[in-house]
Amino acid sequence: AQSVTQLDSQVPVFEEAPVELRCNYSSSVSVYLFWYVQYPNQGLQLLLKYLSGSTLVKGINGFEAEFNKSQTSFHLRKPSVHISDTAEYFCAVSQAQGAQKLVFGQGTRLTINP
Amino acid sequence: ETGVTQSPTHLIKTRGQQVTLRCSSQSGHNTVSWYQQALGQGPQFIFQYYREEENGRGNFPPRFSGLQFPNYSSELNVNALELDDSALYLCASSLGGLADIQYFGAGTRLSVL
């Protein structure tokens, strides 16, 4: 079984500041890793995914994430945030075999202050 | 927009009733997954359908059931509704491969009174 822990439930930052949203996972099998964003009253949108290869993954809207196998982490970063980045962010894993079932963390609410 | 549409957008039911939620998948996608997102929580996997067959199930009781139709649209049925079933129900469609992206609809918000 897999599990995901998002270490911060809320992260407030000022506009144009850098941000890091932390995610740790646990799994006994190989996994794929994802970050999704959820804007108010909307479904989930994929920001980026890690399947294999380079541990630094670039996604949409200037976000990137780094896979660290030894620390079982997949932290999301953005060098300079914008007001429009205010949203809920979810880290997720799926096993690399069998049905693709996404296991999500509890979410991190990112609030950007002007 | 992902091309995944869910209906209705909001629904109010009373305890003990039954409900059916619907999902139209993105064109060309043969796999539909359903998730339950309680308030303030991450989504939880209910089950997945691949070419009209159930292809995996999460830790949900049998009163949660589903169907996938030949056009790959899908239904989620919940019998004997309980107060804790109040949540946002999300449908996601994909091509079915392990590494394929799941595209989510905007969800159906179910309130059980």
Side-chain angles (χ1 to χ4, degrees):
Chain A
Q2 296 82 46
S3 67
V4 176
T5 302
Q6 292 184 240
L7 297 163
D8 306 292
S9 58
Q10 296 186 59
V11 173
V13 295
F14 287 106
E15 194 172 16
E16 298 183 6
V19 69
E20 178 180 79
L21 306 184
R22 298 179 294 167
C23 171
N24 287 348
Y25 71 93
S26 172
S27 177
S28 57
V29 299
S30 296
V31 294
Y32 300 135
L33 296 150
F34 306 82
W35 274 97
Y36 280 86
V37 61
Q38 187 174 35
Y39 299 103
N41 301 315
Q42 294 187 29
L44 300 167
Q45 179 183 5
L46 182 70
L47 281 176
L48 47 80
K49 64 179 182 180
Y50 173 79
L51 305 180
S52 63
S54 172
T55 57
L56 184 62
V57 180
K58 293 192 182 297
I60 63 171
N61 301 341
F63 285 94
E64 63 182 30
E66 185 155 20
F67 170 59
N68 187 319
K69 188 174 183 178
S70 62
Q71 298 190 4
T72 60
S73 67
F74 190 53
H75 300 333
L76 180 71
R77 301 186 184 102
K78 186 169 182 178
S80 176
V81 295
H82 189 266
I83 290 283
S84 60
D85 293 323
T86 296
E88 190 88 19
Y89 291 79
F90 292 95
C91 180
V93 302
S94 71
Q95 58 190 19
Q97 56 188 357
Q100 192 201 54
K101 158 189 146 180
L102 290 170
V103 176
F104 288 88
Q106 299 276 72
T108 297
R109 180 168 299 278
L110 178 61
T111 304
I112 313 299
N113 299 306
Chain B
E1 293 231 350
T2 62
V4 179
T5 58
Q6 294 186 242
S7 63
T9 53
H10 295 86
L11 202 52
I12 300 175
K13 292 286 189 179
T14 56
R15 197 169 43 182
Q17 286 189 310
Q18 178 266 342
V19 69
T20 297
L21 311 182
R22 295 178 175 82
C23 173
S24 292
S25 56
Q26 187 167 320
S27 177
H29 287 182
N30 55 24
T31 302
V32 172
S33 303
W34 286 92
Y35 294 83
Q36 180 196 65
Q37 185 178 16
L39 199 61
Q41 305 292 317
Q44 282 194 291
F45 176 76
I46 303 174
F47 44 57
Q48 181 182 87
Y49 280 82
Y50 171 68
R51 294 187 175 181
E52 303 179 58
E53 297 287 331
E54 187 177 289
N55 188 39
R57 189 177 182 92
N59 191 25
F60 280 81
R63 59 189 185 84
F64 285 78
S65 63
L67 279 174
Q68 188 179 31
F69 300 100
N71 66 355
Y72 302 134
S73 66
S74 178
E75 286 182 354
L76 164 65
N77 299 290
V78 187
N79 294 323
L81 283 167
E82 300 178 0
L83 297 180
D84 285 348
D85 295 333
S86 295
L88 180 67
Y89 288 85
L90 295 165
C91 163
S93 76
S94 65
L95 289 170
L98 286 174
D100 288 331
I101 297 169
Q102 292 191 18
Y103 293 87
F104 284 81
T108 293
R109 184 161 299 281
L110 173 66
S111 299
V112 182
L113 306 178

